[in-house]
Amino acid sequence: MALADDSRPPLPEWITDAYTVILAHITDSETIDTHGRIPAISREQAVDVLSTSDELALEPADAEHAITRLIKRGYLYEVDAELRVTVPSEDW
């Protein structure tokens, strides 16, 4: 999802891996936001998922850092402590 006109260096692979894990969790769990409309995950759940994932097993502080970087780069956005995917799947 890297932006073509983004002059910043790409995100480290472990952070894009974190995005993949979060995205898979959102789509696999069919979690929706508190209004029942958009697939979402709470920030706390995302940290837990990244901390317990077999693929990553990040420390909570590293998981928080990855989430913050993903938000700043536009992969995710946050509404009322819920994380949502910026470009949702057409299936949602």
Side-chain angles (χ1 to χ4, degrees), residues 12-25 46-60 62-64 66-67 70:
E13 185 175 343
W14 71 272
I15 292 180
T16 57
D17 289 346
Y19 174 73
T20 302
V21 169
I22 291 170
L23 181 62
H25 185 76
V47 169
D48 192 45
V49 165
L50 293 175
S51 298
T52 60
S53 164
D54 290 337
E55 295 90 12
L56 296 174
L58 298 176
E59 294 295 323
D62 292 332
E64 282 285 353
I67 292 167
L70 291 167

Side-chain angles (χ1 to χ4, degrees), residues 19-40:
Y19 174 73
T20 302
V21 169
I22 291 170
L23 181 62
H25 185 76
I26 289 173
T27 57
D28 289 347
S29 69
E30 299 180 17
T31 307
I32 55 174
D33 74 340
T34 55
H35 304 291
R37 292 172 285 181
I38 300 171

Side-chain angles (χ1 to χ4, degrees), residues 3-16:
L3 300 174
D5 59 349
D6 191 346
S7 63
R8 298 175 291 188
L11 289 171
E13 185 175 343
W14 71 272
I15 292 180
T16 57

